[in-house]
Structure formats: C-alpha cells, structure tokens
C-alpha cells in the first residue's frame, strides 16, 4: 500500500475529504446520528486525512486540551482499507503532530470493538464501558515520551 498518503489537513477541500470519510464510517456504516458526528471540537482540532490514489480513505483529529494533554478522536478508516496499517499510520501522524506541544498524555475514547487496535499502539484502558451516540466506548490513554 505504498500509494497511501497521510497528511495534516491544510485547506477546505482536505477538510471536506476528512468529513466525507467520517460520514461514510460513522453515520452510514455505524448509524451514529448525523447531528452528533460533527461537533464544536471540529473548529479547534487539527484534522488529518489519508488518501489512496487521491481518494480519501481515512480521517481523524486531535486537539490540545491543556498544557500536557491531547485528545484524539474521530479516527476512522473506510472498510476496504482496514487491516492494512492505515490506522497505524494515522495514529503515528497524530502522535507526531502533538510532539511539538510537549504532550505527556494522549487520551482517546475508543469504540469498544477498536480497543484491541489501540492496545497494539500502547494505549491503556482507563474506564469501564460507556455509551456515547448509541455506541459503546472505553476511555484509553497513552503516556508519551518527549525525547
């Protein structure tokens, strides 16, 4: 999958591409209500998008929530590209982005079915299961090393 590019969103078209992937995965595939999928945090987050042959295939976002904590969410990959290391590359890009902010902890609310994936990325479960938007989640976090 050498033709996959993961990049920070830098313009309106790339943001629309990220939103289109989120719409496909969260609203159409998973049934999350459309009004819940986009929220106030979109305006204050750094978004990322992955492309395969110029077609958007994955998206995510990160925001700095205080001096030493970042929150990653809305990470998603279109079904045809899952289990092909796209999610790993997305998380690497998000984690690399926050390095400049000297973040100590990255927090994420992972859908329960995705917990094993995040565990392979060194995230640890920090909460019991909870429901958000009709889907089950677990809070997770990763301690960062600021080398």
């Amino acid at each position: 999958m050498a033709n996959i590019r993961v990049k920070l969103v830098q313009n309106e078209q790339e943001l629309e591409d990220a939103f289109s992937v989120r719409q496909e995965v969260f609203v159409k595939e998973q049934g999350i209500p459309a009004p819940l999928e986009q929220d106030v945090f979109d305006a204050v987050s750094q978004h990322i998008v992955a492309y395969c042959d110029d077609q958007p295939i994955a998206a995510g976002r990160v925001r700095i929530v205080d001096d030493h904590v970042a929150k990653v969410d809305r990470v998603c990959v279109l079904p045809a590209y899952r289990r092909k290391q796209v999610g790993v590359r997305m998380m690497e890009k998000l984690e690399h982005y926050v390095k400049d902010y000297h973040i100590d902890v990255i927090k994420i609310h992972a859908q329960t079915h995705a917990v094993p994936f995040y565990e392979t990325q060194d995230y640890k479960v920090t909460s019991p299961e909870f429901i958000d938007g009709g889907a089950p989640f677990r809070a997770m976090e990763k301690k960062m090393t600021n080398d």
Side-chain angles (χ1 to χ4, degrees), residues 1-7 49-58 80-81 84-86 89-90:
M1 301 228 80
N3 55 347
I4 292 185
R5 260 181 326 124
V6 179
K7 66 182 309 285
V49 63
Y51 294 95
C52 180
D53 299 327
D54 298 321
Q55 294 299 309
I57 63 164
Y81 297 92
K84 296 180 179 177
Q85 300 300 301
V86 175
R89 291 180 57 192
M90 298 289 288

Side-chain angles (χ1 to χ4, degrees), residues 3 38 43 106 127 135:
N3 55 347
Q38 289 189 13
I106 297 178
S127 80

Side-chain angles (χ1 to χ4, degrees), residues 62-133:
V62 62
R63 68 184 183 280
I64 310 304
V65 294
D66 72 28
D67 287 343
H68 301 287
V69 178
K71 177 82 170 27
V72 168
D73 53 14
R74 301 301 199 270
V75 176
C76 57
V77 178
L78 293 178
Y81 297 92
R82 293 180 190 153
R83 302 193 189 292
K84 296 180 179 177
Q85 300 300 301
V86 175
V88 171
R89 291 180 57 192
M90 298 289 288
M91 294 306 294
E92 287 171 350
K93 183 64 121 179
L94 289 164
E95 290 174 12
H96 182 350
Y97 172 77
V98 302
K99 286 253 187 220
D100 290 341
Y101 293 92
H102 305 289
I103 296 299
D104 294 327
V105 176
I106 297 178
K107 295 185 176 194
I108 189 165
H109 288 167
Q111 289 187 6
T112 300
H113 69 82
V115 165
F117 165 76
Y118 290 109
E119 288 175 330
T120 69
Q121 305 303 304
D122 297 323
Y123 286 78
K124 307 290 185 226
V125 172
T126 59
S127 80
E129 190 172 88
F130 60 93
I131 303 297
D132 187 12

Side-chain angles (χ1 to χ4, degrees), residues 3-33:
N3 55 347
I4 292 185
R5 260 181 326 124
V6 179
K7 66 182 309 285
L8 297 174
V9 165
Q10 296 175 316
N11 59 50
E12 281 301 313
Q13 182 58 58
E14 291 170 350
L15 184 60
E16 286 304 314
D17 290 346
F19 287 156
S20 73
V21 174
R22 287 170 42 181
Q23 175 80 12
E24 283 297 315
V25 173
F26 296 127
V27 177
K28 292 181 181 174
E29 178 187 340
Q30 297 181 359
I32 303 294

Side-chain angles (χ1 to χ4, degrees), residues 42-54:
D42 281 323
V44 295
S45 295
Q46 172 61 59
H47 297 264
I48 64 167
V49 63
Y51 294 95
C52 180
D53 299 327
D54 298 321

